[in-house]
Amino acid sequence: MKKDYDLIVVGAGPAGMTAGMYGVRSGLETLMVEKGICGGLSNEAPEIENYPGFKKVGGMELAEKMKEQVAEYAEIKELEEVKKIEFVKKEWVVITEKDSYRSKAVIISTGTKHRRLGVKGEDEFLGRGISYCAACDGFFFRDKPVIVVGGGDSAVREALYLKNIGCEVTLIHRREKLRAERYLEKNLEKAGVHILWNSVLKEIKGDKAVRSVVRYDREREIEDELPVEGLFISIGEEPVNELAAHVGIETDKNGYIITDKSQRTNLERVYAAGDITGGVRQVVVACAEGAIAATSAYNDLLELS
Ligand code: NAP
């Protein structure tokens, strides 16, 4: 067991990094633990255009700037996955794959993960033509035919990014209307991205890599096979809530952690912030929730002492 902390932040995306910074600045001995690298899914955003102060910034660039800032304050452990959280003798114990740490308060900011389509071929061709991140893998498909699946902000942004780097992009959406911001939809039209409406992807086929997909046209009620080399699945996200479920933190019917306005969960001195709480999933909201969670922890610990 390593030293005791006042606050441990689990997950270092924008919410967690902001919480860490606010925690230390309020005088709390703070540790941040992250299973990957700081930034979370925001690392994958090709461009962010609605974070105040930055007209246009890459998701990874923004995350790196945040990390640089927070590292001046908080202790950060990257590549260390938290396996369990337990309440022992009135303190929280955060157990990772490498160690365990005691803390008076915990903020959960574990974010979300990509939703999977669940069709035949998805597991088989992952990394061999299938990707969930255009900014990470798009480069390999320059000048090649790619399909993006989805109709939300993420799918449209992925399609625009891929078009911009020179891919031949088709967007497949299961309905006849996008869910994405109108502004993004206009950019999609302007960029000339081909859209297949009312289309459901049924199967992914290939040999060593993806070669085609089977699409069901809901309007014409027919199936056809579309040749493709890259498939980018962008159909939303699901909460990373295993830690919360294990320790008994209340979640809603979709698995997002329920908090009050001060980011408090149903458990004493446990808070949640960012995408794991659902709602409006934007970097600016995640940062705000991180700041509120750390401030609530500070206030509650003041009462405790
Ligand atoms: P989303 O808004 O939940 O959209 C998911 C899309 O995938 C929907 O169009 C949905 O179709 C479709 N879909 C879901 N399950 C499917 C399935 N099994 N098969 C086929 N299609 C399926 O997810 P998102 O685009 O990842 O965005 C997540 C959140 O982040 C949103 O709040 C979004 O506003 C935010 N975000 C914002 C920006 C930005 O630039 N402002 C960028 C990225 C993300 P239906 O429409 O038919 O339901």
Side-chain angles (χ1 to χ4, degrees):
M1 176 89 66
K2 287 271 175 67
K3 68 180 201 182
D4 293 349
Y5 292 90
D6 296 316
L7 175 64
I8 293 181
V9 181
V10 183
M17 286 196 275
T18 312
M21 183 167 67
Y22 273 71
V24 182
R25 286 177 61 95
S26 359
L28 302 179
E29 186 84 23
T30 303
L31 171 69
M32 293 164 56
V33 193
E34 161 61 49
K35 76 170 174 188
I37 59 163
C38 287
L41 279 192
S42 68
N43 278 325
E44 298 183 4
E47 275 173 357
I48 296 175
E49 292 170 325
N50 52 10
Y51 187 73
F54 293 82
K55 204 168 168 192
K56 193 184 276 191
V57 61
M60 187 169 271
E61 189 190 341
L62 183 61
E64 274 167 6
K65 282 186 195 295
M66 286 185 187
K67 183 184 167 185
E68 209 179 293
Q69 189 179 8
V70 75
E72 285 187 19
Y73 302 98
E75 185 183 346
I76 307 173
K77 289 185 186 293
E78 290 179 298
L79 302 173
E80 184 166 340
E81 186 172 2
V82 174
K83 295 289 190 187
K84 228 184 335 177
I85 297 169
E86 288 176 346
F87 198 55
V88 182
K89 294 184 187 158
K90 298 190 176 171
E91 282 202 321
W92 288 103
V93 180
V94 174
I95 300 158
T96 74
E97 58 196 345
K98 296 183 182 164
D99 219 323
S100 54
Y101 311 94
R102 264 196 309 258
S103 182
K104 295 182 182 125
V106 175
I107 294 175
I108 313 267
S109 45
T110 45
T112 55
K113 60 185 175 202
H114 300 297
R115 180 176 292 135
R116 297 173 72 102
L117 262 179
V119 298
K120 194 166 169 218
E122 189 174 16
D123 290 338
E124 190 185 340
F125 293 109
L126 183 60
R128 295 193 289 137
I130 297 183
S131 169
Y132 297 82
C133 171
C136 317
D137 304 318
F139 184 77
F140 303 113
F141 301 96
R142 288 175 109 165
D143 302 323
K144 294 184 177 156
V146 300
I147 286 177
V148 177
V149 189
D153 287 334
S154 301
V156 174
R157 282 207 174 274
E158 299 277 273
L160 285 169
Y161 177 83
L162 292 164
K163 183 79 184 176
N164 200 38
I165 62 169
C167 302
E168 294 164 34
V169 187
T170 300
L171 184 83
I172 286 189
H173 183 38
R174 64 183 177 186
R175 290 190 298 136
E176 56 191 7
K177 193 175 183 308
L178 295 176
R179 184 183 288 280
E181 275 178 12
R182 185 70 195 121
Y183 166 78
L184 288 173
E185 192 176 347
K186 276 191 178 156
N187 284 349
L188 200 65
E189 282 161 17
K190 227 188 289 171
V193 169
H194 180 222
I195 304 178
L196 293 175
W197 303 103
N198 292 307
S199 293
V200 176
L201 201 143
K202 302 280 272 193
E203 188 182 342
I204 303 152
K205 291 182 171 180
D207 37 48
K208 282 185 186 150
V210 171
R211 298 284 171 230
S212 65
V213 296
V214 177
R215 180 267 306 235
Y216 175 65
D217 184 327
R218 295 171 65 185
E219 212 169 42
R220 292 188 293 153
E221 297 183 354
I222 52 156
E223 269 186 17
D224 56 7
E225 201 165 326
L226 312 168
V228 70
E229 295 197 29
L231 180 67
F232 289 83
I233 300 172
S234 194
I235 57 166
E237 291 149 30
E238 288 171 352
V240 178
N241 59 12
E242 290 78 9
L243 287 175
H246 182 265
V247 74
I249 298 174
E250 267 175 27
T251 55
D252 67 17
K253 66 176 182 354
N254 297 315
Y256 291 97
I257 294 180
I258 299 170
T259 68
D260 66 10
K261 280 187 177 168
S262 305
Q263 305 305 133
R264 294 184 176 93
T265 69
N266 60 312
L267 299 186
E268 199 182 335
R269 286 176 274 124
V270 178
Y271 315 81
D275 286 1
I276 186 67
T277 67
V280 181
R281 298 209 293 280
Q282 299 284 309
V283 177
V284 69
V285 176
C287 292
E289 288 189 3
I292 295 169
T295 306
S296 300
Y298 169 73
N299 288 334
D300 293 348
L301 294 188
L302 266 188
E303 302 259 308
L304 199 69
S305 54

